[in-house]
Amino acid sequence: EPPLQYHYLKRPYVLEPGVAAAMPRVRRYDAAGKELPVNADAAKVAKSVYEIRIRPGILYQPHPAFAVGEDGSPRYLALSAEDLRGVRGIGDFPETGARELEAADFVHQIKRLAHPRLHSPIFELIAEYLPGLKSLQAELAAEAKRNPGWLDLTRFSLPGVEVVDRYTYRITLEGAYPQFLFWLSMPFFGPVPPEADRFFGQPGMTERNLT
């Protein structure tokens, strides 16, 4: 789930923590790097920093993407055509695994907004505020031409987004964009683990409608 959600009963609508431990901490700075008060004139804001901490102990539901062998390596990686014979759904993989939700999973999904093989309807808007997103898209497009297979997004950086620790990540936007808090309640900013990207990115998966 995304870090924030809407309170189900309050009207008018009010945001509250979802998987986040609390509402994000927002800091605004001017061009000289001086922190501004919350009610500062938006025209004076050069960057806005959102720090989001998620609740520890949240687990992904069991899924074959997390299954590992006795040596700890992914159980269903580098699957051959023979391995996929008869596979028509996730339930056809007998083994599953799970792990704890981490801040890096949210950062991974934000990078996916720039993935050249995925359609992101909010890319152009978010790219105006999130530094590095357009250049990341160009990098990934070039890599996609060289490599027709799965793109390992963990190899690419996005300057405006960083992992602080296991449960905390930070997003830096250009200027003032108060509406961004509402974006944090949308699926675009929910977590996607790299294991899932890697699992579904294998040859033969798309043909089986496993994406």
Side-chain angles (χ1 to χ4, degrees):
E1 297 177 355
L4 303 183
Q5 63 186 14
Y6 287 95
H7 192 288
Y8 285 105
L9 301 177
K10 289 185 179 180
R11 298 295 184 273
Y13 296 111
V14 175
L15 285 173
E16 65 177 9
V19 296
M23 292 297 290
R25 183 178 184 181
V26 185
R27 293 179 172 177
R28 297 176 175 85
Y29 299 86
D30 64 16
K34 178 183 177 181
E35 186 170 355
L36 299 170
V38 176
N39 59 351
D41 183 355
K44 296 181 179 179
V45 179
K47 67 177 181 180
S48 303
V49 180
Y50 294 75
E51 190 162 291
I52 304 155
R53 182 168 179 81
I54 62 172
R55 289 184 280 121
I58 298 175
L59 298 180
Y60 284 102
Q61 67 180 27
H63 194 281
F66 296 116
V68 296
E70 292 183 359
D71 61 353
S73 62
R75 171 69 180 81
Y76 297 114
L77 189 61
L79 297 174
S80 66
E82 183 61 30
D83 293 329
L84 290 173
R85 187 183 300 276
V87 172
R88 291 294 179 268
I90 292 298
D92 293 325
F93 294 97
E95 296 182 30
T96 61
R99 70 162 172 81
E100 189 178 22
L101 177 66
E102 298 178 357
D105 300 329
F106 293 85
V107 173
H108 184 78
Q109 162 55 17
I110 295 172
K111 292 179 182 178
R112 292 177 81 246
L113 297 176
H115 200 302
R117 297 178 187 146
L118 301 174
H119 172 63
S120 175
I122 67 166
F123 174 82
E124 293 298 333
L125 175 60
I126 294 300
E128 293 299 318
Y129 294 95
L130 186 56
L133 196 62
K134 286 186 176 180
S135 58
L136 175 61
Q137 186 186 56
E139 285 185 68
L140 293 176
E143 178 65 19
K145 288 182 179 179
R146 293 190 294 267
N147 176 18
W150 168 66
L151 294 182
D152 184 3
L153 300 185
T154 62
R155 294 175 41 235
F156 297 85
S157 62
L158 180 56
V161 185
E162 59 182 314
V163 175
V164 178
D165 58 41
R166 185 172 185 176
Y167 303 111
T168 310
Y169 63 107
R170 186 180 296 134
I171 301 173
T172 300
L173 302 181
E174 294 180 349
Y177 187 40
Q179 299 94 325
F180 187 68
L181 279 177
F182 298 94
W183 284 113
L184 292 177
S185 71
M186 300 292 287
F188 307 112
F189 290 94
V192 171
E195 295 94 329
D197 252 355
R198 181 174 57 189
F199 174 79
F200 288 110
Q202 298 181 83
M205 289 295 199
T206 302
E207 291 81 354
R208 289 166 172 76
N209 201 30
L210 296 174
T211 62

